[in-house]
């Protein structure tokens, strides 16, 4: 997978959980890369899918749209999808758009 200086993805699988670490800037320029990386992971319904955004610096509406599409696809498959370690500035944006409750573990059944 091609990585840029401004955006990186790293995937780790352990204990029935697939964690995707997203860092840098998640915007229109890297949308195709993110979609390509997430497509096969969305299909892995036998494990939890988690995005770790600890090192995410920026996300635009395209990035938010991709997160929502992954959420919808996972929900349709009755598979877990959560977002963790959301930086305060990103969480504020998620709160303003109303998607925080759908992405965070606190409101999902274990």
């Amino acid at each position: 997978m091609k990585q840029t200086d401004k955006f990186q993805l790293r995937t780790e699988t352990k204990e029935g959980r697939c964690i995707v670490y997203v860092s840098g800037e998640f915007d229109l320029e890297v949308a195709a890369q993110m979609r390509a990386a997430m497509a096969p992971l969305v299909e892995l319904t036998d494990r939890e899918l988690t995005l770790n955004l600890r090192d995410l610096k920026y996300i635009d509406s395209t990035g938010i749209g991709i997160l929502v599409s992954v959420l919808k696809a996972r929900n349709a498959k009755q598979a877990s999808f959560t977002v963790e370690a959301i930086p305060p500035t990103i969480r504020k944006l998620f709160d303003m758009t109303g998607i925080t409750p759908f992405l965070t573990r606190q409101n999902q059944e274990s």
Side-chain angles (χ1 to χ4, degrees):
M1 176 85 30
K2 181 181 175 194
Q3 302 288 312
T4 66
D5 288 337
K6 69 175 236 169
F7 180 76
Q8 287 93 34
L9 289 173
R10 180 175 59 86
T11 304
E12 177 180 290
T13 302
K14 61 181 180 182
E15 300 172 10
R17 190 170 176 220
C18 181
I19 306 168
V20 180
Y21 295 89
V22 182
S23 61
E25 299 177 14
F26 181 9
D27 58 18
L28 178 62
E29 186 178 333
V30 298
Q33 177 184 347
M34 184 65 169
R35 279 191 193 100
M38 295 303 294
L41 301 177
V42 167
E43 301 301 321
L44 298 176
T45 58
D46 63 331
R47 64 190 70 174
E48 291 180 39
L49 177 58
T50 302
L51 286 187
N52 182 300
L53 304 183
R54 180 183 55 235
D55 296 320
L56 187 66
K57 306 295 183 230
Y58 173 81
I59 188 168
D60 70 1
S61 60
T62 304
I64 291 173
I66 291 171
L67 294 183
V68 170
S69 68
V70 169
L71 174 67
K72 286 181 179 182
R74 293 290 287 188
N75 282 345
K77 296 176 182 305
Q78 298 182 337
S80 172
F81 175 66
T82 56
V83 179
E84 66 182 17
I86 306 168
T89 55
I90 306 294
R91 180 175 287 277
K92 184 176 179 181
L93 183 60
F94 288 177
D95 289 347
M96 289 185 339
T97 58
I99 64 170
T100 303
F102 302 102
L103 298 176
T104 55
R105 187 174 301 280
Q106 67 206 21
N107 293 318
Q108 296 186 0
E109 295 179 31
S110 298

